[in-house]
Amino acid sequence: MTPFTTLTAPAIPLRLANVDTDQLLPGRFLRKPRSDGYDNYLFHDIRRGRDGTLRADFPLNDPCYADAPILVADRNFGGGSSREGAVYALVDRGIRAVIAPSFGDIFYSNATKNGLLPIRLPIDIVERIWAIAEADPSAPLTIDLAAQTVRLANAEPVRFEIDAFQRACLLEGRDDIDLTLAHADAISSFETSDRASRRWRAPSA
Amino acid sequence: MDQSRRSGVETPLRCGYCPTMITPTTLFEKIWRQHRIVERDDGQTLLWIDRHLCHEGSFHAFDKLARSGRPVRRPDLTFAFADHYVPTRDRSAGARDPEIATMIRLLGENTARHGVRLFGLGDPDQGIVHVVAPELGLTQPGLTLVCGDSHTSTHGAFGALAFGIGASEVSHVLATQSLWQKRPRTLRVTVDGRLGPHVSAKDLILAVIARIGADGAAGHVVEYAGEAIRALPMEARMTVCNMTIEAGGRAGLIAPDDTTFDWLHGRRYAPKGADWDAAVADWRGLVSDTGASFDREVRLDGASIAPTVTWGTSPENAVPVTDRVPDPEAEGDPGRRATLAAAVDYMGLIPGMPITDITVDRVFIGSCTNARIEDLRIAAGVLKGRRATVPTMVVPGSSAVKRQAETEGLDRVFIDAGAEWLESGCSMCAATNGDMVAPGQRCASTTNRNFRGRQGPGARTHLMSPAMAAAAAVTGRITDVRLLGETA
């Protein structure tokens, strides 16, 4: 996956709470092959009105934010279904980071495995970013993953927390299966001792 | 970043002040410790996975595995189920939509290639993964169990540590039979007392979600305890754990007891003979010790829970059926006011209207939340001798549930009431197989998500119990099932 180190770019303000993964990627697109690209499915239904045309009041439809790679939303972003396609849709649209007060756990994990950085920041910071991005859609944010900071315009950098393991994987663009296979001996010895001590665990029909 | 500790041997947790005392331990902690392969200094733990369940949606993960050229490490611990895309009506020709048919075909090809047991379309044990795996005895206390589906939390009803994962993690488990996890926090939800008549596990969990919010349990494993939980049969416990994810919870857990063991005994993949006895002896220790501490505690009074329904577009928008649609103008916080107003608008409701004034266009009884035999018995009990006044679909959670219901004559009750009696699958809950609610239509649904467009673009979903959905079918509006005898 693409490593994430630093990013200085404008943000899309999305004043919505509980943006679940069904809204990010409606279920009927889950059967689409990834090779086709998922960007056209991102927010497919909520970015359109009842007549099917694109809503002018939806920030991702606003040409001002067409190239902005940072999405800033309200609490509980990416809750619900475990569909990793929701992350593919964001990544294929060019989104590199999502900032929100809280995230669905599975979405958060899926994001980190696809080079998409999820950043938890308190609502008062999120509101400041919304205000800046709405006033000037080209105003850049600077995200520094190694330093774990987000800097708004000329303000002081704000620190965010991220698990050290997930940070390292993102910084290096590393596939964690390779890392796990370095522990192959430990897995095998666990497998053997567990089989001996709890033999009923093996499914036998 | 190197591993600090390996654990294959268990050592009891000892109190730091008095090393001869064993520290009281949570059920979660006991299962976690038994499955720890590697623990790193940064807190990441490599966990052994005892069961891995797949479905049609796992194709991304199989694709990733194929690109890496890796085999499935333990096909004998991996089981696959066709559920999300299967047709619920005529199955003789398979799925009509070529893309949907491809999803079912790919699952067959991927499982055959890797020697994974498939319960596919046409298998007598086909059904929804979270209904069938427990039915077959694959789900057992003390196991770690994962699936690329968020409702994997269901299996925690047996005292298994079970959670949903994304495609990358599915691929990781296929290749290594393990998963990196950071230790979650713990939350205990204690429900005292007894649930009232016609009040079910669905009402209980909706009340919990309304109380703590759709992200109220994020980052936590939730253990359910208390008299009301202990009194629940297994089907109802599965409903509670199933919807833990709707509160953002990583997993739900209920300590196994005789209800669990009696339900599991004799099932196909359950331990047999001396293994069964050894297993039960071990499982009896799978409880949170007296005095074990949780990061958070929430307490509810079971007797005060009413039949509960959702009015909005998040499961946290749940209220007692006796309540009213909230008025966004009464909300002081501007952000919350806008969110409430958007939900009221999407749902086509009038602020302040009584919940029981909401009319419905159709009823769906199904899903991994509420389509087990116990759910169908309850729904049939309400529909018996009555007529559905709106289109009503009944989709059993598994083919075995369907057969059992037919043996008991429940199918006749549904058909005589004018409902459709269909084949098992996720159907109109996930709406991925083509069963959809039409745009703008309102559906009384026993499912788990009332998200915008979840049941189809523009669909409006009201979540409720099987008894409440059956009552709505009879009257064509949201109805307090406790009063149905007086009103219908």
Side-chain angles (χ1 to χ4, degrees), chain B residues 13 88-89 126 142 300:
Chain B
L13 288 174
T88 47
R89 293 189 172 83
Q126 177 273 335
L300 277 83

Side-chain angles (χ1 to χ4, degrees), chain B residues 117-140:
Chain B
R117 173 69 162 98
L118 167 67
F119 296 91
L121 191 64
D123 190 291
D125 289 307
Q126 177 273 335
I128 307 174
V129 52
H130 308 309
V131 178
V132 180
E135 236 167 44
L136 293 174
L138 284 167
T139 307
Q140 296 166 18

